[in-house]
């Protein structure tokens, strides 16, 4: 069946939490993503303990991807102190890991990515006052926000999306214990998004949150933590959005690419 080239289809998921004994666990997920999307975004916690060998297990399945894949790391990916090795294993499966930088898809779509950090939301956002450890905690959130600002500020593509692990809004945390919301994200991440603009934001980390929210400026935010998606749509463990493309942009994506696929199998 002829592919509808008037839209770019983006699949997004986070919190795969791949473990050493999970060879092949994501095979069906990858097959499904290949069948219905043009790009896969992964929003952190790709490994469970931050082990390079866990990333290797995941990369075995990711190697079957027939579309580009862009990711950010999550807090779990830092657990073992070997995040560089985790990234190196994922790179073998052509996963591009963003950390305050961006990736551009055929001059049409820009993806800005950062892990993010906690710190709280709105008027309850933690301020840099008092003890040094409190200031250091706040500074980490500020740093991540500045990294996102730098990534977005350099994008001049007609379309742009943002991926983070921590949430930039409180909306998508509804369902989580309110006591831990400040550790699940911070409004500081939403500021550069609203300033520079984006069509969509995808994040993970909030396994028990809800699926959709908006930044104060109105940008749609999707919580794509896989445990959450598995609960609501077990038949599709990723969010799927479509971005309408102008004729010129469609040609760039679907006709001028060496590896462009026009016909895509619809079964999975
Ligand atoms: Fe997670
Ligand atoms: Fe997480």
């Amino acid at each position: 069946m002829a592919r509808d080239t008037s839209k770019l289809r983006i699949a997004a998921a986070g919190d795969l939490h791949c473990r050493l004994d999970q060879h092949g666990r994501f095979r069906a997920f990858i097959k499904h993503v290949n069948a219905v999307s043009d790009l896969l975004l992964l929003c952190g916690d790709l490994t469970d303990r931050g082990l390079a060998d866990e990333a290797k297990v995941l990369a075995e399945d990711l190697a079957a991807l027939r579309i580009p894949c862009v990711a950010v790391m999550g807090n779990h990916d830092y657990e073992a102190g070997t995040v560089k090795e985790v990234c190196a294993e994922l790179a073998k499966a052509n996963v591009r890991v963003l950390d305050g930088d961006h990736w551009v898809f055929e001059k049409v779509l820009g993806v800005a990515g950062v892990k993010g950090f906690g710190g709280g939301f709105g008027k309850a956002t933690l301020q840099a006052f008092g003890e040094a450890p409190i200031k250091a905690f706040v500074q980490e959130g500020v740093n991540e926000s500045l990294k996102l600002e730098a990534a977005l500020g350099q994008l001049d593509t007609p379309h742009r999306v943002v991926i983070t692990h921590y949430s930039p809004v409180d909306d998508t945390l509804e369902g989580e214990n309110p006591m831990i919301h400040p550790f699940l994200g911070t409004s500081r991440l939403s500021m550069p998004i609203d300033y520079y603009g984006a069509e969509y934001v995808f994040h993970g980390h909030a396994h028990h949150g809800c699926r959709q929210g908006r930044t104060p400026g109105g940008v749609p935010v999707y919580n794509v933590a896989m445990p959450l998606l598995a609960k609501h749509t077990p038949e599709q463990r990723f969010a799927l959005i479509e971005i309408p493309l102008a004729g010129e942009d469609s040609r760039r994506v679907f006709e001028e690419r060496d590896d462009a696929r026009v016909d895509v199998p619809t079964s999975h």
Side-chain angles (χ1 to χ4, degrees):
M1 194 171 70
R3 164 82 174 85
D4 178 359
T5 57
S6 67
K7 297 168 187 159
L8 182 65
R9 305 165 304 174
I10 301 176
D15 301 270
L16 281 65
H17 287 269
C18 186
R19 298 196 300 265
L20 294 175
D21 60 352
Q22 293 185 321
H23 291 273
R25 180 186 166 202
F26 298 100
R27 208 172 288 154
F29 166 76
I30 297 299
K31 199 173 173 186
H32 193 179
V33 165
N34 272 336
V36 299
S37 60
D38 304 302
L39 174 66
L40 173 62
L41 305 176
L42 294 175
C43 296
D45 283 0
L46 307 188
T47 62
D48 197 48
R49 296 283 159 187
L51 302 173
D53 282 346
E54 290 176 331
K56 202 171 186 173
V57 171
L58 177 60
E60 289 168 6
D61 288 348
L62 291 173
L65 269 175
R66 292 191 289 121
I67 56 174
C69 180
V70 188
V72 291
M73 295 285 91
N75 55 315
H76 277 248
D77 301 313
Y78 279 80
E79 169 59 16
T82 55
V83 74
K84 277 189 183 166
E85 288 82 352
V86 167
C87 292
E89 289 300 333
L90 295 172
K92 290 177 190 169
N94 292 319
V95 177
R96 299 149 182 89
V97 178
L98 303 180
D99 179 22
D101 46 356
H102 63 258
W103 176 79
V104 174
F105 187 42
E106 303 301 323
K107 299 181 186 171
V108 171
L109 175 80
V111 182
V114 71
K115 173 179 63 63
F117 200 60
F121 298 92
K123 289 180 179 171
T125 302
L126 186 64
Q127 299 301 313
F129 182 87
E131 303 94 318
I134 292 287
K135 289 176 178 167
F137 185 88
V138 170
Q139 190 60 49
E140 184 64 15
V142 171
N143 291 346
E144 291 291 298
S145 173
L146 289 172
K147 281 159 68 173
L148 180 55
E149 183 180 315
L152 273 170
Q154 293 166 22
L155 278 178
D156 59 359
T157 46
H159 302 278
R160 64 179 77 180
V161 297
V162 170
I163 54 174
T164 63
H165 181 60
Y166 287 79
S167 177
V169 295
D170 201 27
D171 297 15
T172 48
L173 305 184
E174 197 181 324
E176 294 278 3
N177 182 343
M179 304 280 275
I180 67 166
H181 283 204
F183 311 117
L184 296 175
T186 176
S187 301
R188 288 192 167 94
L189 290 169
S190 70
M191 293 172 190
I193 295 167
D194 282 342
Y195 184 79
Y196 285 102
E199 271 159 272
Y200 295 97
V201 181
F202 303 95
H203 74 83
H205 198 41
H207 296 203
H208 306 289
C210 66
R211 287 179 290 175
Q212 287 186 43
R214 281 185 187 275
T215 65
V219 177
V221 178
Y222 286 71
N223 176 1
V224 295
M226 194 175 272
L228 178 68
L229 299 176
K231 194 168 70 178
H232 290 278
T233 53
E235 72 288 354
Q236 182 182 298
R237 298 181 179 213
F238 52 89
L240 186 64
I241 60 105
E242 295 180 333
I243 293 184
L245 296 178
E248 167 92 347
D249 293 338
S250 173
R251 276 190 292 282
R252 275 187 177 140
V253 171
F254 296 108
E255 293 176 21
E256 294 171 12
R257 286 169 63 203
D258 292 339
D259 60 343
R261 291 176 299 119
V262 175
D263 294 311
V264 177
T266 52
S267 61
H268 55 81

